[in-house]
Amino acid sequence: MKIYTKQGDGGLTSLIGGERVFKTDERVEAYGTVDELSAFTALLTDYLSEEQGTESYIEELQRILSQMMTVEALLAVGEEGGDKVQPLAPTTITALEEAIDRMQSEVPPITKFTIPGGHKVVSMCHVCRTICRRAEREALRADRKYDIDPTAKAWLNRLSDYFYLLGRRLTVLLEVEERPWIP
């Protein structure tokens, strides 16, 4: 099977269920942004594999990557595809919340915004966080016209918080100085 089909040369693509839409459709923008997030999350796991004591975070991110594929599929559902993709289980949101709470208990409290950076894995957490925020906005735009799965939207919202706390947790683990924003 060839990777190219020439079907998209006119700017159209197919959603799950066969509906043809422009590549600028809100759903395509949303799942494309989650796909971008997936690639950067994979890069984050590659960077983490170079660091000692990060195995549990890599395992957690591998589960998250699998869930991202489900979110992409949920965002790619067309008119006839609603029964072709199983929604995320509500426990996926609970799992993110538990991970966030765990990491938050392992870092010092802060009262100021933090400036990203200090180490490539910390910076990559912030790249993932900002792409995730954009993916959430794109999903919300798509939801205005199409009925987007509510669990997928909530999951994206929690995931951006997860990436923020992961970055903070890794500053502690990797002994990186966390810089508060002082205007």
Side-chain angles (χ1 to χ4, degrees):
M1 179 173 129
K2 289 187 176 188
I3 190 69
Y4 60 89
T5 63
K6 301 181 184 181
Q7 296 284 321
D9 292 353
L12 295 174
T13 191
S14 294
L15 297 176
I16 295 172
E19 180 183 356
R20 301 281 292 164
V21 298
F22 281 102
K23 292 180 179 183
T24 55
D25 183 282
E26 291 88 345
R27 294 164 291 184
V28 178
E29 294 284 354
Y31 75 70
T33 304
V34 176
D35 189 32
E36 178 185 354
L37 174 59
S38 179
F40 276 102
T41 302
L43 183 58
L44 171 59
T45 62
D46 291 343
Y47 285 162
L48 280 172
S49 70
E50 298 169 1
E51 302 299 330
Q52 296 293 320
T54 61
E55 296 79 11
S56 64
Y57 300 108
I58 293 169
E59 289 174 21
E60 202 164 57
L61 287 167
Q62 292 295 341
R63 283 189 300 277
I64 287 169
L65 278 164
S66 179
Q67 293 163 0
M68 263 187 227
M69 294 293 290
T70 301
V71 169
E72 284 183 57
L74 289 166
L75 293 167
V77 168
E79 290 177 9
E80 302 297 321
D83 61 340
K84 298 190 180 341
V85 181
Q86 292 295 314
L88 284 174
T91 55
T92 59
I93 295 170
T94 305
L96 282 176
E97 291 169 346
E98 289 170 356
I100 291 165
D101 292 345
R102 181 192 73 244
M103 289 186 290
Q104 193 161 14
S105 73
E106 298 170 342
V107 297
I110 57 171
T111 58
K112 299 189 179 316
F113 289 109
T114 56
I115 297 174
H119 192 285
K120 66 184 175 183
V121 296
V122 174
S123 295
M124 189 55 66
C125 288
H126 288 284
V127 169
C128 291
R129 174 185 58 80
T130 59
I131 295 170
C132 189
R133 290 269 190 234
R134 180 164 34 95
E136 180 188 10
R137 290 189 305 271
E138 305 262 352
L140 292 170
R141 261 191 289 284
D143 189 49
R144 292 167 127 188
K145 286 172 88 172
Y146 313 99
D147 191 26
I148 301 300
D149 179 77
T151 306
K153 293 181 297 186
W155 186 84
L156 284 170
N157 183 270
R158 294 310 180 288
L159 184 61
S160 60
D161 294 334
Y162 170 88
F163 281 121
Y164 177 72
L165 259 300
L166 180 60
R168 291 206 63 225
R169 177 63 186 106
L170 292 171
T171 62
V172 173
L173 181 70
L174 301 172
E175 299 177 351
V176 176
E177 181 183 351
E178 189 169 54
R179 298 178 327 174
W181 176 55
I182 302 170

